[in-house]
Amino acid sequence: MKIRVLLPTIMDIFNEEVHQEFARYLDVSVEVQVRHLDYGPASVEGEYDEALAIPNMLEKAIEAQNEGCDGVISLCFADPGVKAAREAVDIPVVGAGESSMLFASMLAKSYSVVTVLPNVIAMIENVTKSVGVHGKLASIRYVDIPVLDLVDKEKMEQALFEEMVKAIEIDKAHSLILGCTGMMGVAETLQNKLKEHGYDVPVIDPSFASAKVLESVIAMKVKQSRITYMKPTEKLRTAR
């Protein structure tokens, strides 16, 4: 299996970390390729940035299919280009936002998203409605840290913890989502820290969620393809 992770930014500062993160989540037999944009925004922090990212995201998705990839991930919580890419290619395309919300909705009756800046809240709300899980959304909170400043892990982790406690105590969230794919490498630490303070709730990393969703969708597609092209007698044996 070969998957391509598309970053909707011209910056390459997260490429290596993203590759390492996905290598942790997937089987060693899965080849993970990470690509950033040739042109577009430096980060996605609003509707304008998302619109700038989509043209090259679509080109990169088509390129991934032409180069033999089995699936594509749009690694941004706003899921830029996901729906359009699904029209353009025949391989599965998943978004980090939708994947995280589906996980959270299965794990608990309500969830909160803790993101970067207030101007992305409307974008995230749009994803919750598109995925069909808006009714389980307890709140969207933000740490007021720009995406490119998330490299300061200590500052990010402390800010996330403070907002997550508020989401649990005030908003009654039963699960939590890291609302930016730049928030890598802290989900497990935050979950353990919350538990130490008496809050036993799952913390979902969007990279992990999108990796596992895409892996499952590819496997399902392969299995269904094999069943479709079986001879009638083979189908009968399979059913038994």
Side-chain angles (χ1 to χ4, degrees):
M1 185 185 297
K2 180 166 65 174
I3 69 170
R4 187 160 296 178
V5 182
L6 302 182
L7 309 182
T9 167
I10 57 172
M11 308 297 287
D12 64 357
I13 59 173
F14 293 117
N15 285 37
E16 184 55 36
E17 188 176 5
V18 167
H19 190 275
Q20 291 175 3
E21 282 290 295
F22 276 82
R24 289 176 54 219
Y25 302 145
L26 297 167
D27 188 82
V28 291
S29 63
V30 180
E31 180 183 344
V32 179
Q33 302 175 348
V34 180
R35 300 287 189 272
H36 61 280
L37 300 182
D38 298 324
Y39 61 92
S43 63
V44 177
E45 296 178 352
E47 300 279 359
Y48 181 74
D49 295 329
E50 181 183 14
L52 290 178
I54 290 175
N56 198 215
M57 287 285 284
L58 295 178
E59 292 168 355
K60 293 287 184 182
I62 294 169
E63 181 179 82
Q65 176 173 266
N66 292 340
E67 294 179 359
C69 292
D70 298 295
V72 170
I73 292 172
S74 174
L75 197 67
C76 173
F77 207 79
D79 296 345
V82 168
K83 291 182 179 179
R86 286 171 178 163
E87 294 182 3
V89 300
D90 294 323
I91 57 177
V93 180
V94 303
E98 64 176 3
S99 300
S100 304
M101 292 172 191
L102 290 171
F103 263 74
S105 298
M106 289 186 289
L107 289 171
K109 68 177 184 179
S110 65
Y111 68 93
S112 283
V113 178
V114 184
T115 188
V116 282
L117 299 166
N119 44 303
V120 302
I121 290 177
M123 299 169 67
I124 294 173
E125 287 178 339
N126 289 339
V127 178
T128 71
K129 294 171 184 176
S130 175
V131 178
V133 293
H134 185 71
K136 288 194 171 186
L137 177 66
S139 64
I140 301 174
R141 292 184 167 271
Y142 61 92
V143 293
D144 209 19
I145 301 174
V147 175
L148 298 181
D149 290 346
L150 294 176
V151 291
D152 186 340
K153 298 290 187 184
E154 185 175 345
K155 177 182 178 182
M156 173 182 65
E157 186 179 313
Q158 182 57 36
L160 282 168
F161 177 76
E162 292 173 3
E163 292 303 318
M164 285 179 169
V165 170
K166 293 175 186 176
I168 296 168
E169 291 187 342
I170 300 172
D171 308 325
K172 309 304 179 185
H174 289 206
S175 60
L176 300 163
I177 304 175
L178 298 174
C180 176
T181 54
M183 297 171 172
M184 290 176 284
V186 297
E188 185 176 357
T189 301
L190 284 166
Q191 184 165 311
N192 291 335
K193 189 174 180 179
L194 286 166
K195 191 171 184 179
E196 289 171 3
H197 285 74
Y199 308 110
D200 190 6
V201 298
V203 177
I204 299 163
D205 184 299
S207 295
F208 171 82
S210 58
K212 303 311 289 185
V213 167
L214 182 61
E215 185 179 37
S216 299
V217 171
I218 292 172
M220 182 175 65
K221 184 178 179 182
V222 170
K223 184 176 182 180
Q224 287 182 338
S225 175
R226 287 173 179 167
I227 293 174
T228 300
Y229 292 102
M230 282 181 180
K231 295 177 182 178
T233 52
E234 291 176 322
K235 289 184 181 180
L236 184 60
R237 285 199 294 270
T238 301
R240 290 176 180 173

